[in-house]
Amino acid sequence: MAEVRLLAVGQKMPSWVSDACSDYLPRFRHQFKLHIEEIPASKKKGAEAQSEHKKKLLERLKQNDFLVLLDECGRSYSTLELADQITQWELSGHSLVFAIGGADGWCEDVRQRADSQWSLSKLVFPHPLARVIVVEQLYRADSVRQGHPYHRS
């Protein structure tokens, strides 16, 4: 079973975010079970917030975790490309960790620690919406990998 975690900066999400995530999380198959962990958002801004988020992220990472940052500078994938990429990431033999940053994004030190970076779009999404999109896209990509009819295009 692959341990897959989504570390997301921000807490006290609106109920629609909790509802959407609660709808998708039980659908994941046993071999690709996604767990969401919240990182408290800093009350600071800019580099100070990035530094605080870096510290909190690194405290939660194990040395051998495969870290995929959600970052606007990352690579964009089609659904089928993401499904293939997840398989490649899993072949690293490490637990997968996806990380959504705060309003100021990730600092360069975190980008250097990351094993990969994934951009959802050239658009910028509010963090609650990004969380739902990531959960849904991970479910969709894993559905493709198992031949489930959820993805029909």
Side-chain angles (χ1 to χ4, degrees):
M1 177 175 97
E3 179 185 349
V4 185
R5 295 183 294 152
L6 172 59
L7 302 180
V9 173
Q11 62 219 73
K12 298 181 184 172
M13 290 290 113
S15 60
W16 63 267
V17 174
S18 302
D19 292 346
C21 291
S22 293
D23 183 50
Y24 281 102
L25 291 175
R27 298 184 196 186
F28 281 87
R29 62 191 171 101
H30 181 69
Q31 292 84 0
F32 192 84
K33 202 66 164 166
L34 179 66
H35 302 280
I36 299 175
E37 298 178 23
E38 294 181 336
I39 296 173
S42 174
K43 297 192 185 316
K44 300 172 184 169
K45 295 187 182 201
E48 289 180 323
Q50 288 179 332
S51 179
E52 196 173 309
H53 295 152
K54 171 185 117 175
K55 181 180 182 232
K56 291 176 182 175
L57 173 70
L58 295 178
E59 287 172 355
R60 294 183 184 222
L61 288 179
K62 298 172 189 147
Q63 186 175 2
N64 63 345
D65 281 339
F66 191 95
L67 177 62
V68 180
L69 284 188
L70 277 289
D71 190 275
E72 65 184 341
C73 298
R75 179 172 172 206
S76 295
Y77 299 97
S78 70
T79 299
L80 297 179
E81 289 170 339
L82 181 61
D84 288 341
Q85 187 61 63
I86 289 171
T87 299
Q88 292 305 310
W89 290 333
E90 283 183 322
L91 289 174
S92 74
H94 303 287
S95 296
L96 294 178
V97 177
F98 296 87
I100 300 174
D104 295 296
W106 294 111
C107 66
E108 191 56 35
D109 288 349
V110 174
R111 286 191 184 104
Q112 292 297 319
R113 164 56 181 89
D115 297 289
S116 191
Q117 295 179 40
W118 170 23
S119 172
L120 296 177
S121 168
K122 290 183 179 182
L123 302 171
V124 175
F125 298 111
H127 287 78
L129 185 56
R131 186 180 299 197
V132 173
I133 292 170
V134 169
V135 170
E136 192 279 337
Q137 287 300 298
L138 290 174
Y139 175 72
R140 180 177 297 273
D142 195 51
S143 295
V144 167
R145 294 177 341 138
Q146 59 181 316
H148 189 279
Y150 178 78
H151 177 69
R152 295 182 193 102
S153 71

